[in-house]
Amino acid sequence: MGNQVEKLTHLNYKEVPTADPTGMDRDEGPRIGVSYIFSSDDDELEQQQQDSVAQDMGGEHPAPQPYDPRLQEVECSVYYRDECIYQKSFAGDDTLSTYTPENLLNRCKPGDLVEFVCQAQYPHWAVYVGDFQVVHLHRLEVVNSFLTDASQGRRGRIANYLYRYKPLSPATAVRNALEQVGCKDRELSWRNSECFAAWCRYGKREFKIGGELRIGKQPYRLQIRLGDKRSHTLEFQSLEDLIMEKRRNDQIGRAAVIQELSSHLQAAEEEEEEGDPGAQTIPPPPCITFTPKPSVP
């Protein structure tokens, strides 16, 4: 497969496959979702955003700002066929709480995954390797940095509990990360910082570029929760592609994701009504999905 970066696009929203991974939705018919169009490297765009902010402040990175994950981030689950392999939920615990880089250091242990977050930016992931340092994919190169420097002024959290894969030993995760320091450009096997960090901790080839064959039915599903009993699900052929869409949702923010889905589903409903004047029409259901009614005989 090689390490070539692919660009995946959909010409329209009808081409985007969606379904309910829990099997609770028994309706037959298409599901319209978000089109996922990927750049070659979203961390490069992330760094451009950070540099622009730093330039506006005379070269200094901004101080950590108040950040409320419940307002900014999208609750979601990732399924491989029927198995939940990732879950971000605000219910029940404080695993999504964020801390200043200095406070985060007191909580980190070697082998931990660290996620730095900030409004309107892609999340940035790193592997804590001890001695106040992390290894992360930064500007198309795997580098070793102090955690406070890698944060770039963002708040952070320990992200060990988001993915549900069985982790490697802490020593193995640290070794995986350190062995990649210095890799850059075409030597890289990861398209973003999250895929690199997760690979170090779990050792799954699914996190690598071209780590899975793109044939057959899409086995991965991203279920986006939009509120009580409201959700929308997209299907993907590879975990790497799904992660890119999940990161894009975090970058544009929860309100924009909800607005995007609502707008596209409304447009899809209007197209169905125009294309089939004899069809029955009803208001869209409260969950952000759409199923066309059969034509009246």
Side-chain angles (χ1 to χ4, degrees), residues 88-116:
K88 179 190 285 188
S89 174
F90 300 122
D93 54 41
D94 63 349
T95 56
L96 295 180
S97 298
T98 62
Y99 306 91
T100 64
E102 293 75 17
N103 289 335
L104 187 62
L105 273 173
N106 297 327
R107 299 171 177 268
C108 287
K109 298 178 182 179
D112 283 348
L113 296 183
V114 176
E115 181 184 24
F116 299 111

Side-chain angles (χ1 to χ4, degrees), residues 150-162:
S151 72
Q152 301 283 355
R154 292 166 289 191
R155 296 176 65 87
R157 63 167 69 102
I158 295 175
N160 293 344
Y161 307 106
L162 293 176

